[in-house]
Amino acid sequence: MITTKKCYSLLLMLVMSVSSVIAQSSISGKVSDASGMPLGGVNVILEGTTQGAVSDFDGNYTISNVENGSYTLNATYLGYSKFTQNVTIDGESITINFTMSEDAESLDQIIVTGVTNPKSRIESSVSVTTMRPKIIQQSAPRTTAEIFRTIPGIRSESSGGEGNSNIAVRGVPVSSGGSKYVQLQEDGLPVLLFGDIAFATSDIFTRYDSNIGRIEAIRGGSASTLSSNSPGAIINLISKTGKTEGGSIGTSFGLDYGNFRTDFDYGAPIADGLYFHMGGFYRVGEGIRDAGYTANNGGQFKFNITKEFDKGYIRLYTKYLNDRAIAYLPNPIKVTGTNDDPNFSDIPNFDANNQTLHTPYLSQNVGLGESGELRRSNVSDGMNPISTSVGMEASFDLGDGFKIKNNGRFSFNKGGFNSPFPASVSTVSDFLAGDFAVDNGYDSLAYANGDGAVNGSSLIAPVVLFDTQLNNFNNFMNDIRLTKSFDKLDLTLGYFKGIQNLSMSWLWNSYLLEASGDDARLIDALDSNGDPLSVNGLVGYGAAFFGNCCQRSYDTRYNTSAPYLALAFEASENLNLDASIRFDKGQVDGSFAGPSTSVNDINNDGVISQPEQTVQSIDLSNPTTVNYDYDYVSFSLGANYKLKDNEAVFARYSRGGAAKADRILFAGLEYTNSDRINALDFINQAEIGYKRGFERGAVYATLFFAKTIEEGGFEATSNSIIENDYKSLGIEIEGSYRFSDNFNVRGGLTFTDAEIDSGDNKGNTPRRQPDFIYNLIPTFDFGSKNQNSFGLSFIGQTKAYAQDSNELVLPGFVIVNSFVNIGITEKLNASLSANNVFDTLGITESEEGSIVEGQTNYLRVRPVPGRSISLGLNYSF
């Protein structure tokens, strides 16, 4: 009997076990994008459970052993809207195929820039914009800086070419060039420790190509405490990793300008948890303005490899950049009318939009080098960054709520900056009547190539050739952070170390050049007997038109240590609070040397010409010692309250600093007295934001206030030190909306009421600061599978003042760009891009701050480049 009972018990247990197995099913399917292409790497989970899967390369996923019941299936993927569907399991496996819609504005996107732990946009108390390659393409950018034009709050004066751009944020000024308060990063680390180094701005060493998976830009907020020298904003270019196999190869060329460029990238898993990505570009051409020679020539290669472990990963990455890109400096232009209502127009023989003072007649620069040696440089080198970087990123879950992440990189940086800067523009008659010509005995002018005398009414441009050698800009950056997670509190302790070398030499000469945009000729000066006083257009070995101010050399090192602490507290299901504090300590040592004058037979002809009587060199025997320290504290307090799953508000107050580098090595300061050096500038900011997601779009609005306390910094182009305090109040609005499956619009608007708050110009508007900057980008998809697209972008600003004196007005402008993308096959696309379709004159900068009303004036301005059209082919695989 007992045996029989045992058999029944075993049988019953077996039946129950089988029934349990039968009651468990699977959910499987395929994930695709709007064009039908499979999406790999999509996270598919059952809400409220630990069950889920990640789609493979072909978009397939399977969630196994799902018990009977009702569930909510969620799918998330960076750059795409969250997919949600209710499902019911009743003893059978089911198949759910679905399509994900691309959405760069999705509130579910995970943000990694300017935060200690990755968070979604809906949970982050910062103003942040994310741009993926498809979004970037819509504004048809020609340079990296032109990409930033569509970021709300950011004013990117992208008129300098592939680098040398001025980038400002929220009314904070461009007081000495570059991006002083805005830090450019690659994969979470600064490109350079300082964004406004003269002739070595961060964007010179940064290139956007097909390696980039997305760009994140955070304005204000925690930017001041999670990176050094970035109280205004962080713009982070984030590379692809190859976790999902795929790649592309594309070629583009200019239809109305000289350019040929090829991009490629490829990434793929190698083994379980091991994957890589690589890519780069090479280009050659004259550039978007008519230079008369090959002005752009070079490229970049990047590679990374990642190994994932059970509780973390290690990634090794490297970059090699060697590029030559023309540097556009001010162009001559004619201005009539009044300061309040000026009329800008081209001078004879010069198209300000499409031409440049670069010319094959001024192809080299000869003089004395840093150590007094005879040297020659090529003007065609332009901006020539040479960078080799090696880095490692590692992140691990240590257990017990501890996580550690370290990101470190060493970069060997060097290069040069070579471009003619017009010291003035005038008629020959006016030039000969001026102090410089009279003091040097100039009686007439003649073309150096033998074309005869230069007419008195002809326009000329005395130029200083900015020949600057970037000898050693090596840097080491490392950021390590340890996070401890408690029940509702995350505590992060971090430490940043940055070491930046800054060794450069200014080896400038001065030339006379005709103001012509088509192979401008060099001009010689003659005395009253008709004898030459210059040599093939060269009037001085040094910055003669600047009073021989600027032959100099730096050799300095900047060592920054910055511990920081960040707290993130989940006060409730809807309320998140965060606070962070950072202590930056800098140690600066080295030296710099100024000019020395000597007599030197530079051309070795046995005759001392007039320019050879006052040859400028660098006085290395009398250096100025640089040895000082600085320190400052930054902090940020923020709160984010989620009103609904798709709606939130946030508020933040922060204070951050930015240290100076070479911009103060001119002012005769006490460089060995840490208490008297003016090495620091500060920004106090307050902001209140609102974000709302819709079924087909999203909107973000941030009200901001910024107070800038700034010491003086040297500006080479104006040969002056600008020192002001500033304040600004404004609002930035960003949004997108998909009206249908075919038609989408996105855009941004920033209003800024900015004011100078100290000095002689107190109460005036900061120079080049418009009240409104805006962009509007409508796109339309068409074709049987929406494989084709067409779009326009309208990028503009209202009027601004040329200088802080608020006399000359720079008119507002709107630049219209367009693109057409045609899907020839499933993986082959052709694109036609047109930038500045209507060849609009948009002036971002003027060296002169006023005109003489009622007469013709000749000014030096930097306009955005004119119309350019390019055709491209891209194959994805």
Side-chain angles (χ1 to χ4, degrees):
M1 181 66 69
I2 295 175
T3 304
T4 304
K5 288 183 177 179
K6 286 184 176 180
C7 289
Y8 277 117
S9 297
L10 290 172
L11 182 60
L12 180 61
M13 291 175 62
L14 180 61
V15 171
M16 293 177 63
S17 176
V18 172
S19 299
S20 176
V21 172
I22 292 175
Q24 291 185 336
S25 308
S26 66
I27 303 174
S28 60
K30 184 173 183 178
V31 188
S32 305
D33 64 13
S35 63
M37 292 292 292
L39 284 177
V42 177
N43 290 307
V44 186
I45 63 171
L46 297 179
E47 187 176 295
T49 76
T50 59
Q51 292 179 283
V54 178
S55 62
D56 62 18
F57 174 67
D58 295 316
N60 298 314
Y61 73 95
T62 299
I63 305 175
S64 302
N65 299 324
V66 182
E67 296 183 359
N68 290 342
S70 296
Y71 302 91
T72 300
L73 182 77
N74 291 329
T76 57
Y77 188 57
L78 185 64
Y80 288 77
S81 297
K82 181 179 180 181
F83 174 83
T84 299
Q85 181 172 323
N86 294 324
V87 298
T88 299
I89 297 296
D90 187 16
E92 294 183 359
S93 297
I94 61 174
T95 300
I96 299 178
N97 300 321
F98 58 89
T99 299
M100 299 194 71
S101 300
E102 190 166 2
D103 182 7
E105 306 298 335
S106 172
L107 289 168
D108 297 308
Q109 279 198 80
I110 302 301
I111 304 302
V112 299
T113 303
V115 295
T116 51
N117 288 302
K119 288 185 176 181
S120 65
R121 292 184 74 169
I122 193 66
E123 297 174 320
S124 302
S125 55
V126 294
S127 293
V128 62
T129 296
T130 300
M131 296 189 295
R132 294 175 64 83
K134 184 176 180 180
I135 296 297
I136 292 170
Q137 179 192 21
Q138 292 174 357
S139 61
R142 294 166 292 196
T143 65
T144 302
E146 285 192 342
I147 297 172
F148 307 151
R149 299 176 303 181
T150 59
I151 301 174
I154 298 291
R155 191 175 88 252
S156 180
E157 297 177 350
S158 52
S159 51
E162 189 66 76
N164 191 36
S165 300
N166 299 318
I167 304 173
V169 59
R170 291 181 172 178
V172 177
V174 179
S175 53
S176 55
S179 57
K180 176 173 179 56
Y181 301 104
V182 179
Q183 187 186 90
L184 296 189
Q185 294 185 349
E186 286 185 316
D187 296 316
L189 289 175
V191 176
L192 298 176
L193 191 58
F194 307 93
D196 66 335
I197 301 173
F199 305 105
T201 54
S202 294
D203 64 326
I204 289 179
F205 285 89
T206 307
R207 295 290 185 272
Y208 174 83
D209 61 16
S210 55
N211 285 291
I212 302 301
R214 69 188 190 277
I215 295 176
E216 290 183 356
I218 173 177
R219 284 89 65 195
S222 53
S224 58
T225 55
L226 294 181
S227 194
S228 295
N229 303 320
S230 58
I234 298 173
I235 301 176
N236 186 15
L237 283 70
I238 302 173
S239 301
K240 300 174 183 176
T241 62
K243 188 171 184 178
T244 301
E245 184 178 8
S248 67
I249 183 168
T251 296
S252 63
F253 53 92
L255 295 181
D256 60 349
Y257 68 103
N259 180 70
F260 184 88
R261 171 169 170 154
T262 295
D263 288 73
F264 83 97
D265 79 290
Y266 177 70
I270 304 173
D272 186 27
L274 181 66
Y275 45 92
F276 79 99
H277 188 272
M278 66 177 181
F281 77 92
Y282 188 83
R283 54 95 180 270
V284 63
E286 187 175 2
I288 51 181
R289 287 194 167 116
D290 183 10
Y293 58 87
T294 299
N296 294 333
N297 191 357
Q300 174 174 265
F301 178 78
K302 296 172 70 174
F303 175 86
N304 65 64
I305 186 168
T306 304
K307 173 58 180 174
E308 289 186 348
F309 303 92
D310 288 341
K311 295 190 176 183
Y313 68 89
I314 293 178
R315 177 173 299 130
L316 301 177
Y317 56 92
T318 185
K319 178 184 87 170
Y320 178 69
L321 168 67
N322 189 340
D323 194 21
R324 289 172 172 82
I326 189 169
Y328 297 122
L329 293 177
N331 276 345
I333 203 165
K334 180 173 68 175
V335 185
T336 57
T338 66
N339 281 295
D340 289 334
D341 186 22
N343 179 32
F344 290 80
S345 59
D346 291 334
I347 66 172
N349 304 315
F350 199 103
D351 181 344
N353 266 5
N354 299 291
Q355 294 183 311
T356 173
L357 285 173
H358 293 81
T359 170
Y361 287 104
L362 182 55
S363 61
Q364 65 177 21
N365 190 45
V366 178
L368 296 182
E370 179 185 21
S371 301
E373 77 283 7
L374 188 65
R375 67 176 288 275
R376 183 187 69 161
S377 66
N378 293 319
V379 178
S380 61
D381 285 347
M383 295 177 286
N384 180 205
I386 303 173
S387 177
T388 303
S389 298
V390 178
M392 182 187 75
E393 179 181 328
S395 179
F396 286 95
D397 186 339
L398 304 178
D400 242 359
F402 283 98
K403 294 180 181 179
I404 190 169
K405 182 177 182 179
N406 187 81
N407 192 4
R409 183 181 66 223
F410 186 84
S411 298
F412 301 86
N413 297 320
K414 62 180 181 179
F417 185 105
N418 208 317
S419 186
F421 178 85
S424 63
V425 179
S426 68
T427 64
V428 169
S429 297
D430 288 343
F431 173 77
L432 291 174
D435 291 341
F436 182 89
V438 172
D439 292 344
N440 286 278
Y442 293 0
D443 183 72
S444 62
L445 301 180
Y447 293 108
N449 66 348
D451 284 347
V454 185
N455 189 283
S457 61
S458 297
L459 291 175
I460 63 170
V463 300
V464 174
L465 189 67
F466 285 169
D467 184 351
T468 305
Q469 298 305 298
L470 312 180
N471 304 315
N472 182 346
F473 275 68
N474 298 350
N475 62 45
F476 171 74
M477 310 287 182
N478 193 86
D479 190 287
I480 185 170
R481 57 186 64 169
L482 177 67
T483 298
K484 169 64 175 175
S485 296
F486 299 92
D487 183 25
K488 293 188 176 182
L489 175 68
D490 287 342
L491 186 152
T492 299
L493 179 63
Y495 188 86
F496 172 80
K497 168 63 72 173
I499 300 174
Q500 177 72 61
N501 289 345
L502 200 165
S503 174
M504 74 167 109
S505 305
W506 295 19
L507 307 169
W508 302 355
N509 285 347
S510 300
Y511 298 84
L512 282 177
L513 192 67
E514 70 172 328
S516 172
D518 186 14
D519 294 347
R521 293 166 289 183
L522 291 166
I523 293 172
D524 275 328
L526 310 176
D527 63 16
S528 57
N529 296 320
D531 295 325
L533 297 176
S534 59
V535 180
N536 196 30
L538 185 142
V539 300
Y541 289 101
F545 298 120
F546 290 167
N548 287 326
C549 66
C550 299
Q551 228 76 347
R552 58 181 55 242
S553 178
Y554 309 105
D555 188 8
T556 50
R557 287 155 296 282
Y558 298 81
N559 189 335
T560 295
S561 302
Y564 58 92
L565 175 69
L567 303 172
F569 179 61
E570 186 181 343
S572 69
E573 183 179 351
N574 295 325
L575 178 61
N576 291 313
L577 305 174
D578 67 89
S580 51
I581 188 169
R582 183 186 187 93
F583 177 73
D584 276 85
K585 180 175 177 59
Q587 298 174 301
V588 186
D589 66 88
S591 64
F592 70 92
S596 177
T597 303
S598 63
V599 177
N600 197 306
D601 185 11
I602 297 295
N603 61 7
N604 292 316
D605 66 352
V607 178
I608 301 298
S609 63
Q610 181 163 309
E612 293 173 332
Q613 296 175 18
T614 54
V615 176
Q616 296 291 300
S617 58
I618 298 171
D619 189 7
L620 294 177
S621 62
N622 291 292
T624 297
T625 298
V626 177
N627 191 345
Y628 66 89
D629 300 337
Y630 64 84
D631 60 73
Y632 63 93
V633 175
S634 303
F635 65 86
S636 186
L637 304 170
N640 188 86
Y641 186 76
K642 190 157 61 171
L643 302 171
K644 301 176 183 176
D645 286 343
N646 63 343
E647 186 177 13
V649 293
F650 71 90
R652 181 173 291 276
Y653 183 81
S654 59
R655 170 183 167 85
K660 293 186 181 70
D662 63 312
R663 297 287 184 175
I664 59 171
L665 301 184
F666 293 80
L669 302 174
E670 297 181 42
Y671 298 106
T672 58
N673 188 333
S674 300
D675 295 328
R676 295 179 62 85
I677 202 81
N678 63 337
L680 300 173
D681 303 311
F682 293 96
I683 303 177
N684 296 310
Q685 296 181 82
E687 51 192 313
I688 300 174
Y690 173 79
K691 40 198 166 181
R692 171 71 185 273
F694 304 95
E695 181 180 354
R696 291 180 172 270
V699 64
Y700 308 87
T702 304
L703 181 69
F704 60 84
F705 172 79
K707 170 71 174 176
T708 306
I709 303 169
E710 187 175 82
E711 300 292 343
F714 184 82
E715 182 180 59
T717 55
S718 62
N719 195 21
S720 64
I721 295 172
I722 299 173
E723 182 174 355
N724 290 313
D725 294 337
Y726 306 85
K727 62 182 179 182
S728 62
L729 177 69
I731 185 171
E732 58 186 36
I733 301 172
E734 177 183 14
S736 67
Y737 193 78
R738 183 172 292 278
F739 290 89
S740 68
D741 292 338
N742 304 88
F743 183 55
N744 177 72
V745 175
R746 69 181 184 92
L749 170 71
T750 304
F751 168 75
T752 307
D753 181 12
E755 181 179 315
I756 300 172
D757 204 32
S758 67
D760 295 337
N761 293 308
K762 184 175 182 179
N764 285 356
T765 300
R767 63 177 183 166
R768 312 204 303 266
Q769 175 61 59
D771 289 342
F772 289 92
I773 56 175
Y774 53 90
N775 66 84
L776 181 68
I777 306 177
T779 60
F780 180 75
D781 299 329
F782 60 98
S784 59
K785 295 183 178 180
N786 283 343
Q787 73 273 23
N788 310 314
S789 58
F790 166 75
L792 296 171
S793 65
F794 304 85
I795 300 172
Q797 66 177 56
T798 55
K799 69 177 183 180
Y801 288 108
Q803 297 293 342
D804 291 339
S805 59
N806 284 188
E807 296 176 86
L808 178 63
V809 169
L810 301 180
F813 58 87
V814 180
I815 302 299
V816 180
N817 312 303
S818 69
F819 78 94
V820 179
N821 189 70
I822 302 297
I824 301 173
T825 67
E826 185 178 358
K827 296 183 178 181
L828 179 64
N829 293 279
S831 61
L832 181 69
S833 298
N835 204 301
N836 197 355
V837 173
F838 298 107
D839 202 28
T840 300
L841 179 66
I843 298 173
T844 65
E845 181 178 340
S846 170
E847 298 301 317
E848 285 77 18
S850 64
I851 62 172
V852 178
E853 298 181 349
Q855 69 178 48
T856 299
N857 300 263
Y858 299 106
L859 272 58
R860 301 160 296 161
V861 301
R862 291 215 315 192
V864 298
R867 181 191 301 112
S868 63
I869 304 173
S870 63
L871 178 66
L873 287 173
N874 187 82
Y875 179 72
S876 300
F877 51 89

Short mmCIF file of all heavy atoms in Angstrom, two decimals, residues 16 175 191 243 280 289 318 341 409 424 446-447 452 457 563 568 609 640 688 722 724 751 756 782 787 796 824 842 858:
data_model
loop_
_atom_site.label_atom_id
_atom_site.label_comp_id
_atom_site.label_asym_id
_atom_site.label_seq_id
_atom_site.Cartn_x
_atom_site.Cartn_y
_atom_site.Cartn_z
N MET A 16 2.39 17.84 -12.24
CA MET A 16 2.47 19.26 -11.87
C MET A 16 3.69 19.91 -12.49
O MET A 16 3.64 21.05 -12.96
CB MET A 16 2.51 19.41 -10.35
CG MET A 16 1.21 19.00 -9.66
SD MET A 16 1.32 19.11 -7.86
CE MET A 16 1.61 20.85 -7.65
N SER A 175 35.10 87.15 -25.34
CA SER A 175 35.89 88.34 -25.02
C SER A 175 37.28 88.30 -25.61
O SER A 175 37.91 89.34 -25.79
CB SER A 175 35.98 88.50 -23.50
OG SER A 175 36.45 87.31 -22.90
N VAL A 191 39.30 67.95 -25.08
CA VAL A 191 40.26 67.90 -26.18
C VAL A 191 41.52 68.66 -25.78
O VAL A 191 42.64 68.18 -25.95
CB VAL A 191 39.65 68.50 -27.46
CG1 VAL A 191 40.67 68.54 -28.58
CG2 VAL A 191 38.43 67.68 -27.88
N LYS A 243 29.37 47.56 -31.02
CA LYS A 243 28.66 46.47 -30.35
C LYS A 243 27.68 45.80 -31.30
O LYS A 243 27.43 44.59 -31.23
CB LYS A 243 27.95 46.99 -29.11
CG LYS A 243 27.35 45.91 -28.25
CD LYS A 243 26.84 46.46 -26.93
CE LYS A 243 26.32 45.33 -26.03
NZ LYS A 243 25.88 45.84 -24.71
N GLY A 280 37.39 56.69 -40.22
CA GLY A 280 38.08 57.95 -40.40
C GLY A 280 37.71 58.60 -41.71
O GLY A 280 36.74 58.23 -42.37
N ARG A 289 36.06 78.55 -50.14
CA ARG A 289 36.36 79.85 -50.72
C ARG A 289 37.52 79.68 -51.71
O ARG A 289 38.37 78.81 -51.54
CB ARG A 289 36.72 80.87 -49.64
CG ARG A 289 35.53 81.33 -48.83
CD ARG A 289 35.87 82.57 -48.01
NE ARG A 289 34.68 83.20 -47.47
CZ ARG A 289 34.40 83.31 -46.18
NH1 ARG A 289 35.23 82.81 -45.29
NH2 ARG A 289 33.30 83.89 -45.79
N THR A 318 42.08 54.91 -29.65
CA THR A 318 43.19 55.72 -30.18
C THR A 318 42.70 56.59 -31.32
O THR A 318 41.68 56.27 -31.97
CB THR A 318 44.35 54.81 -30.64
OG1 THR A 318 45.46 55.61 -31.04
CG2 THR A 318 43.92 53.94 -31.81
N ASP A 341 22.29 102.06 -39.42
CA ASP A 341 21.69 101.44 -40.60
C ASP A 341 22.74 101.36 -41.70
O ASP A 341 22.65 102.04 -42.72
CB ASP A 341 20.48 102.25 -41.07
CG ASP A 341 19.73 101.56 -42.21
OD1 ASP A 341 19.88 100.33 -42.35
OD2 ASP A 341 19.01 102.26 -42.95
N ARG A 409 43.37 59.51 -20.92
CA ARG A 409 43.88 59.63 -22.29
C ARG A 409 45.14 60.48 -22.31
O ARG A 409 45.25 61.50 -21.61
CB ARG A 409 42.82 60.28 -23.19
CG ARG A 409 43.25 60.39 -24.66
CD ARG A 409 42.16 61.06 -25.49
NE ARG A 409 41.96 62.44 -25.12
CZ ARG A 409 40.77 63.03 -24.99
NH1 ARG A 409 39.68 62.33 -25.18
NH2 ARG A 409 40.69 64.29 -24.64
N SER A 424 44.61 96.47 -42.12
CA SER A 424 43.72 97.55 -42.54
C SER A 424 43.35 97.31 -43.99
O SER A 424 43.91 96.44 -44.65
CB SER A 424 44.38 98.93 -42.37
OG SER A 424 45.52 99.04 -43.21
N ALA A 446 54.27 99.56 -56.35
CA ALA A 446 54.32 98.84 -57.62
C ALA A 446 54.11 97.35 -57.37
O ALA A 446 54.48 96.83 -56.31
CB ALA A 446 55.66 99.07 -58.33
N TYR A 447 53.50 96.67 -58.35
CA TYR A 447 53.28 95.24 -58.20
C TYR A 447 54.62 94.51 -58.19
O TYR A 447 55.50 94.77 -59.05
CB TYR A 447 52.40 94.71 -59.32
CG TYR A 447 50.97 95.23 -59.25
CD1 TYR A 447 50.51 96.17 -60.18
CD2 TYR A 447 50.11 94.80 -58.25
CE1 TYR A 447 49.21 96.65 -60.12
CE2 TYR A 447 48.80 95.28 -58.18
CZ TYR A 447 48.37 96.20 -59.11
OH TYR A 447 47.08 96.69 -59.03
N GLY A 452 53.82 96.68 -63.01
CA GLY A 452 53.83 98.14 -63.06
C GLY A 452 53.30 98.79 -61.80
O GLY A 452 53.09 98.15 -60.76
N SER A 457 43.88 104.86 -56.68
CA SER A 457 42.53 104.55 -56.22
C SER A 457 42.34 103.06 -55.94
O SER A 457 41.28 102.65 -55.47
CB SER A 457 41.50 105.00 -57.27
OG SER A 457 41.71 104.33 -58.51
N PRO A 563 39.46 67.36 -7.22
CA PRO A 563 38.54 66.41 -6.59
C PRO A 563 37.12 66.97 -6.60
O PRO A 563 36.93 68.19 -6.56
CB PRO A 563 39.08 66.31 -5.16
CG PRO A 563 39.79 67.60 -4.93
CD PRO A 563 40.33 68.04 -6.26
N ALA A 568 23.13 62.41 -5.47
CA ALA A 568 21.86 62.33 -6.18
C ALA A 568 20.88 61.59 -5.27
O ALA A 568 21.13 60.45 -4.86
CB ALA A 568 22.02 61.60 -7.50
N SER A 609 68.70 95.21 -46.93
CA SER A 609 67.53 95.96 -47.40
C SER A 609 66.86 96.64 -46.21
O SER A 609 67.18 96.37 -45.05
CB SER A 609 66.55 95.02 -48.09
OG SER A 609 66.06 94.05 -47.16
N ASN A 640 14.75 68.07 -9.96
CA ASN A 640 13.91 67.70 -11.10
C ASN A 640 12.64 67.05 -10.57
O ASN A 640 12.70 66.09 -9.79
CB ASN A 640 14.65 66.73 -12.02
CG ASN A 640 13.90 66.46 -13.31
OD1 ASN A 640 14.04 67.22 -14.27
ND2 ASN A 640 13.13 65.39 -13.36
N ILE A 688 15.63 77.69 -14.73
CA ILE A 688 14.39 76.96 -14.48
C ILE A 688 13.94 76.38 -15.81
O ILE A 688 13.84 77.10 -16.81
CB ILE A 688 13.30 77.89 -13.89
CG1 ILE A 688 13.75 78.49 -12.56
CG2 ILE A 688 11.99 77.12 -13.71
CD1 ILE A 688 12.79 79.53 -12.01
N ILE A 722 40.72 92.96 -23.30
CA ILE A 722 39.32 93.29 -23.06
C ILE A 722 38.95 92.80 -21.68
O ILE A 722 39.09 91.63 -21.36
CB ILE A 722 38.42 92.65 -24.13
CG1 ILE A 722 38.80 93.20 -25.51
CG2 ILE A 722 36.95 92.91 -23.84
CD1 ILE A 722 38.08 92.51 -26.66
N ASN A 724 35.78 93.11 -18.91
CA ASN A 724 34.43 93.54 -18.54
C ASN A 724 33.79 92.49 -17.64
O ASN A 724 34.21 91.34 -17.61
CB ASN A 724 33.53 93.69 -19.78
CG ASN A 724 33.91 94.88 -20.65
OD1 ASN A 724 34.11 95.97 -20.14
ND2 ASN A 724 34.01 94.65 -21.94
N PHE A 751 16.42 83.59 -26.78
CA PHE A 751 16.38 85.04 -26.56
C PHE A 751 17.32 85.37 -25.42
O PHE A 751 17.27 84.74 -24.35
CB PHE A 751 14.97 85.51 -26.22
CG PHE A 751 14.94 86.94 -25.71
CD1 PHE A 751 15.10 88.00 -26.57
CD2 PHE A 751 14.78 87.21 -24.34
CE1 PHE A 751 15.10 89.30 -26.11
CE2 PHE A 751 14.77 88.50 -23.87
CZ PHE A 751 14.93 89.56 -24.76
N ILE A 756 26.77 94.60 -20.55
CA ILE A 756 28.07 94.80 -19.92
C ILE A 756 27.85 95.46 -18.57
O ILE A 756 27.09 96.43 -18.46
CB ILE A 756 28.99 95.65 -20.81
CG1 ILE A 756 29.21 94.96 -22.16
CG2 ILE A 756 30.32 95.93 -20.13
CD1 ILE A 756 29.94 95.81 -23.18
N PHE A 782 9.86 60.51 -48.25
CA PHE A 782 8.98 60.06 -49.31
C PHE A 782 9.55 58.80 -49.94
O PHE A 782 10.69 58.40 -49.70
CB PHE A 782 8.77 61.16 -50.37
CG PHE A 782 10.03 61.62 -51.04
CD1 PHE A 782 10.40 61.11 -52.29
CD2 PHE A 782 10.86 62.58 -50.45
CE1 PHE A 782 11.55 61.55 -52.93
CE2 PHE A 782 12.02 63.01 -51.07
CZ PHE A 782 12.36 62.50 -52.31
N GLN A 787 12.21 55.86 -47.98
CA GLN A 787 13.66 55.73 -48.06
C GLN A 787 14.34 57.01 -48.56
O GLN A 787 15.56 57.13 -48.49
CB GLN A 787 14.04 54.57 -48.98
CG GLN A 787 13.83 54.82 -50.48
CD GLN A 787 12.41 54.49 -50.93
OE1 GLN A 787 11.48 54.47 -50.12
NE2 GLN A 787 12.24 54.22 -52.22
N GLY A 796 19.49 81.49 -38.21
CA GLY A 796 19.62 82.94 -38.26
C GLY A 796 19.81 83.60 -36.92
O GLY A 796 19.78 82.97 -35.86
N ILE A 824 18.93 54.80 -53.32
CA ILE A 824 19.03 54.13 -54.62
C ILE A 824 18.71 52.65 -54.48
O ILE A 824 17.97 52.07 -55.27
CB ILE A 824 20.44 54.34 -55.21
CG1 ILE A 824 20.72 55.85 -55.37
CG2 ILE A 824 20.59 53.62 -56.55
CD1 ILE A 824 22.13 56.17 -55.79
N GLY A 842 26.16 87.07 -44.23
CA GLY A 842 25.94 87.03 -42.78
C GLY A 842 27.23 87.33 -42.06
O GLY A 842 28.16 86.50 -42.02
N TYR A 858 35.97 101.28 -45.64
CA TYR A 858 36.47 99.94 -45.93
C TYR A 858 36.81 99.26 -44.61
O TYR A 858 37.66 99.72 -43.85
CB TYR A 858 37.69 100.00 -46.84
CG TYR A 858 37.38 100.65 -48.17
CD1 TYR A 858 37.82 101.95 -48.47
CD2 TYR A 858 36.62 99.98 -49.13
CE1 TYR A 858 37.52 102.55 -49.67
CE2 TYR A 858 36.32 100.59 -50.35
CZ TYR A 858 36.77 101.86 -50.61
OH TYR A 858 36.46 102.46 -51.81
#
